[in-house]
Each structure stands twice: as C-alpha cells, then as structure tokens.
Amino acid sequence: MKSQDTPFEGGPMDGRVLPVLLGMTGHPPKTYRIPVPDAAGGPPTVLVYRRVPRAYGRRTGVVRGWKYRYDPEGGSGLGRVRWPWTKKDATPSGKPDGPTG
C-alpha cells in the first residue's frame, strides 16, 4: 500500500504530519477519524478531520496536494448520498386543490 505524509491543521493534531494510506485513485480518504481514549475509562472521543486542498497549480489550477482540517462538529452530513434530483424535504406537501396546497 502506498502512503503520503499529510499535514493536519486545527484541533489537537495541529501542526502534526502523519503518513496516510492512499486509495485506489491515489488520494487520501475524504475524512480521517482519530479515536482518543478517555482517561476515566469511558467511551473514546473521536476527532474528525476533513480533506481539503493544500495548494493549486499556478497554470492549470489542479490540486497540488492535500491536508486535513479539523471538523469540530464531527461528522455532520456524512453517510448520506446526495443526488442532484432529490429535494431537501421529501415529505409531500399536499394536493394543489387541497386546503394545505
């Protein structure tokens, strides 16, 4: 497996560089989760970092590397496929001739 040294920015991992395994496309994963054990023996805290472009090429505008930025919300919006034809609210609003429409 191929890995790449990737910098982390923000949060407790600020300024650190870790080797991150690359996927089949040669890019690191979009999110990087780091479980931190609780000192009291409780459930671990999970730190979530999101992949963002490190720099863009001057002439072509192509991404020239990746870095991870801390996401304090920790995973909002993950796990759902967003199709372009789906609406934000999927509940029916009623018939056009009805009292609510």
Side-chain angles (χ1 to χ4, degrees):
M1 298 288 305
K2 194 172 182 181
S3 66
Q4 175 183 8
D5 290 338
T6 309
F8 287 76
E9 139 181 320
M13 299 289 290
D14 190 25
R16 296 188 185 181
V17 177
L18 297 177
V20 176
L21 291 176
L22 303 178
M24 291 176 54
T25 59
H27 298 290
K30 290 184 181 181
T31 59
Y32 195 81
R33 298 173 189 278
I34 304 171
V36 178
D38 188 26
T45 304
V46 178
L47 303 174
V48 178
Y49 284 84
R50 301 231 183 261
R51 181 185 73 183
V52 294
R54 186 187 309 179
Y56 292 98
R58 186 176 294 185
R59 299 177 91 177
T60 60
V62 176
V63 174
R64 304 286 289 175
W66 300 99
K67 64 182 175 181
Y68 283 105
R69 187 172 293 146
Y70 180 63
D71 183 11
E73 295 173 4
S76 63
L78 289 178
R80 258 185 37 200
V81 178
R82 290 181 190 84
W83 301 103
W85 54 82
T86 57
K87 297 179 183 175
K88 291 183 181 179
D89 188 13
T91 59
S93 61
K95 297 179 181 177
D97 297 335
T100 60

